Each structure stands twice: as C-alpha cells, then as structure tokens.
Amino acid sequence: DHIYAPGVYVATMVSAAARQRAGSADPAKYLPVLAKTSGYKGVTGTISFDEKGDVKNGALTLFTYKGEKREQIAVVR
C-alpha cells in the first residue's frame, strides 16, 4: 500500500513552495513563510496552517481489520 504517498507528496510540495516564496532554502528564512501557508491546493485538498502550526481541517481516517479485510471505521476532522 502507498497510503502515505499523497501526504508525503503534498508535504514536499508545500515545503518547496515556501522555499520559493522565501527565496531561500535556509530554515531560518523559509520556516516562517511555511507557517503562513494558507489555501495551498494539493492533491489531498487545500492546505492551511493555524497559529500553532497544525493543519486546519485535517482529517484522520480510522480503519479496523476483520480477518484480512481492512474496513474504514470513520473519518475524524
């Protein structure tokens, strides 16, 4: 399963976009720009961060296994 691939891709692209906007790969310069990310359109949805650095409206999908079959329990926002 490549269930993490979309999230990793978006994280990489959000980071790259912040580095471009900051004009630098220096963490001291691009991290404040990254923290201000708002409305980034990614493959997993629109990415914005709150004042604590958490993704706004992030989702967590819960699964369980019955035998060898994976079943979705819920999506928590």
Side-chain angles (χ1 to χ4, degrees):
D1 259 27
H2 300 296
I3 60 173
Y4 299 110
V8 172
Y9 176 79
V10 169
T12 301
M13 297 308 292
V14 168
S15 177
R19 291 168 197 234
Q20 283 184 323
R21 289 193 315 274
S24 177
D26 179 353
K29 294 181 180 176
Y30 81 82
L31 288 177
V33 175
L34 177 64
K36 294 177 185 173
T37 296
S38 181
Y40 181 89
K41 305 285 188 214
V43 296
T44 60
T46 302
I47 306 297
S48 298
F49 297 112
D50 66 16
E51 64 281 347
K52 293 185 284 183
D54 295 327
V55 173
K56 289 183 178 178
N57 200 30
L60 173 67
T61 304
L62 302 174
F63 293 95
T64 188
Y65 284 86
K66 292 184 179 178
E68 294 183 14
K69 185 177 177 188
R70 183 175 77 168
E71 293 184 15
Q72 182 176 320
I73 297 172
V75 176
V76 180
R77 290 200 176 268

